[in-house]
Amino acid sequence: MVMDARTGEVLHSRNADTQLHPASLTKMMTLYVAFQAIERGEITLDTPVTISRLAASEPPSRLGLREGQTIRLRFLLRAAAVKSANDAATAIAEAISGSEDAFATRMNRTARAMGMRNTNFRNAHGLTQSGHLSTARDMTVLGRHVIYDFPQYYNLFSRRSADAGIATVRHTNRRWLDSYEGADGIKTGYTNAAGFNLVASAQRGQERIIATVFGGSSTAARNARITELMDMGFNRAPAQATIRPPNAPAAMLSSATGNPQLGNAGKTIRVSGVVTTSIRPIARPLTTTAPPEEVLMAAVDADIINAVIADSVNAALAEALADVAVEPVVVQAASAAVVTPTVRPAEPAETVVAALEPPEVFNSEPEVVTRISTSGGRHWGVNVGRYNTRHDAERVLLQVALSEMSTLDGSLRRVTQRSGGFDANFMGLTREGADLACRRLQARGTTCFMIGSDG
């Protein structure tokens, strides 16, 4: 199976819907559900997890956990993603849902919400079990969700080694990651029943390809086949394509009443800048006796991002130039229709900022701020190129923002007209943040240099 990750277009498939043993590809879903739980505040990266007898007794690959031991969740995530540790995967499941069975129920509900129609999970690690099956198509879909729904965690899958608390673990597929240009993940899997499986992804410039292989006869044969499929994908994919991230499913809580290990964990929700339909935080009410006007914001499907850009320009200008406050009300939509928000003047006592914003564009003014920032005294930025038209600059800003959310989150997207064209800038960063963002973008082949607050 070969897919253009930007659009979800299938570029090649063969036996893509045949149910097979996924082996440790399963851990992509284990980690996805864990990322959801962290985002919802059900658990934190630093929550101590007590290891059960079941988790400690899982067969290799293992981190080496012992019954009764406590370890922070972040180390279990690293061990599962990098080393494919089975004991870590079971410990994650029990920490979030109380039992592996309850966690498997949540995995299956999440899979259905993603459209994974031919997958059934029975455990969190992927060891062979009756009825534990998936397909190349479903695993490719899951890999795409991992990339776009949680970009802040995706780097876990490309780490050649990681500190897992009690040991330093090494990646299960270092050789292919080092040999294939642009490779940055995602997950290997092997059991006797499954053979050698791999869901891989690589990015070259603006192109990103995902390929999946089931049932390889050896590591070398699997890697050779995945290389052929990735090359096919880059040859067939268009050089330019509008990024259409998948719609992230809402968290599918298991029927378990909760895990006593979590106690009174805080409910801090980490909001990414990718527009999705996942559950988002509700803003605190305004301190006023009159009922506030509502801002109705529909779930935005990224495949109509250009329409959103065009329809939201007036709201973007009002926010940037009139210092307004808006209060979000998330509504469920039967389809990805866009409802234009209404804007209410800010009250001096309090400003409430919308938790989600649709992408914005600019009008014909020389300079327009397209995203409200709370960066305070951050006076640095990065330039990602000069373009012949304002439209080209806007598109590049949106594409870069989607691909580099971990360092650019909270920054201003700004297009500035110069004599030679239109500069595409991200402003409102610290010097260290701007330097890190530039280095990461340059590593991907994106032109970038730091700029001061004057642009």
Side-chain angles (χ1 to χ4, degrees):
M1 181 82 173
V2 183
M3 178 181 288
D4 186 333
R6 299 167 298 178
T7 62
E9 179 186 0
V10 175
L11 303 175
H12 169 80
S13 68
R14 189 174 69 182
N15 300 325
D17 296 310
T18 301
Q19 284 191 310
L20 298 166
H21 298 286
S24 285
L25 302 186
T26 300
K27 294 185 179 78
M28 288 193 297
M29 181 60 83
T30 301
L31 291 160
Y32 185 94
V33 173
F35 299 155
Q36 276 191 329
I38 293 167
E39 184 180 58
R40 286 174 51 87
E42 299 171 53
I43 196 168
T44 74
L45 287 170
D46 292 315
T47 296
V49 176
T50 302
I51 304 305
S52 70
R53 177 177 299 179
L54 175 63
S57 65
E58 296 291 8
S61 174
R62 293 170 39 82
L63 177 59
L65 300 171
R66 302 185 307 277
E67 181 182 359
Q69 175 183 4
T70 60
I71 185 171
R72 286 188 292 169
L73 179 69
R74 67 173 67 245
F75 295 134
L76 297 175
L77 299 177
R78 293 173 186 175
V82 177
K83 184 178 174 59
S84 197
N86 297 321
D87 52 356
T90 298
I92 291 168
E94 293 177 332
I96 292 172
S97 295
S99 72
E100 189 170 38
D101 286 344
F103 189 79
T105 297
R106 180 165 175 173
M107 294 169 72
N108 286 321
R109 290 175 178 173
T110 304
R112 298 294 176 270
M114 288 181 181
M116 297 170 61
R117 299 182 180 87
N118 296 304
T119 294
N120 185 59
F121 295 113
R122 300 296 299 275
N123 59 58
H125 41 65
L127 293 171
T128 303
Q129 186 173 344
S130 177
H132 187 97
L133 299 169
S134 188
T135 68
R137 185 184 307 277
D138 283 358
M139 283 293 149
T140 305
V141 168
L142 174 56
R144 186 166 182 251
H145 274 279
V146 169
I147 292 169
Y148 284 105
D149 295 355
F150 293 103
Q152 67 270 40
Y153 298 122
Y154 181 63
N155 71 86
L156 278 173
F157 298 95
S158 62
R159 297 185 187 183
R160 274 51 169 185
S161 64
D163 175 14
I166 62 174
T168 297
V169 294
R170 303 185 70 189
H171 200 286
T172 57
N173 203 26
R174 301 182 301 278
R175 186 171 299 175
W176 187 78
L177 288 175
D178 290 337
S179 66
Y180 195 81
E181 179 188 353
D184 56 10
I186 306 176
K187 191 72 191 71
T188 61
Y190 169 78
T191 62
N192 288 332
F196 293 82
N197 300 345
L198 176 60
V199 177
S201 183
Q203 181 170 352
R204 295 177 180 176
Q206 298 299 323
E207 298 176 44
R208 177 176 284 281
I209 300 298
I210 305 173
T212 299
V213 167
F214 270 63
S217 58
S218 66
T219 298
R222 176 196 67 194
N223 289 353
R225 180 57 179 160
I226 209 75
T227 296
E228 293 176 2
L229 293 176
M230 295 295 291
D231 288 344
M232 178 192 301
F234 281 113
N235 287 333
R236 293 184 179 182
Q240 300 294 328
T242 300
I243 298 176
R244 301 169 185 167
N247 291 324
M252 301 291 172
L253 297 180
S254 64
S255 58
T257 56
N259 183 1
Q261 282 195 45
L262 302 185
N264 295 319
K267 298 300 180 184
T268 300
I269 296 179
R270 183 172 183 175
V271 181
S272 79
V274 181
V275 180
T276 69
T277 58
S278 60
I279 297 175
R280 296 300 182 189
I282 300 175
R284 55 197 173 101
L286 294 173
T287 55
T288 176
T289 56
E293 297 182 31
E294 295 180 336
V295 176
L296 300 180
M297 186 175 298
V300 181
D301 190 336
D303 65 351
I304 56 169
I305 194 168
N306 289 329
V308 175
I309 290 172
D311 291 342
S312 61
V313 62
N314 291 331
L317 289 173
E319 289 179 346
L321 303 177
D323 188 24
V324 299
V326 296
E327 178 182 2
V329 176
V330 179
V331 296
Q332 295 180 344
S335 62
V338 178
V339 180
T340 303
T342 58
V343 180
R344 175 173 62 78
E347 299 182 10
E350 185 176 51
T351 298
V352 178
V353 180
L356 279 180
E357 306 173 35
E360 304 105 350
V361 295
F362 317 87
N363 68 358
S364 59
E365 295 298 322
E367 180 174 306
V368 175
V369 176
T370 65
R371 184 176 177 188
I372 296 175
S373 172
T374 57
S375 57
R378 301 182 179 188
H379 304 301
W380 289 82
V382 296
N383 174 281
V384 291
R386 179 170 294 176
Y387 301 90
N388 292 330
T389 68
R390 182 179 297 277
H391 179 69
D392 288 343
E394 294 160 359
R395 293 182 68 85
V396 170
L397 284 173
L398 288 171
Q399 291 170 348
V400 172
L402 286 171
S403 66
E404 186 51 44
M405 288 307 305
S406 60
T407 56
L408 295 176
D409 190 32
S411 63
L412 291 159
R413 295 194 299 272
R414 174 182 295 174
V415 173
T416 303
Q417 186 172 1
R418 305 291 189 191
S419 59
F422 296 86
D423 284 0
N425 302 327
F426 289 92
M427 302 302 298
L429 299 169
T430 64
R431 178 168 185 161
E432 294 76 11
D435 179 65
L436 176 60
C438 254
R439 284 190 284 111
R440 287 172 61 93
L441 291 170
Q442 288 168 352
R444 291 199 186 105
T446 301
T447 301
C448 181
F449 61 86
M450 293 171 56
I451 56 178
S453 59
D454 58 354

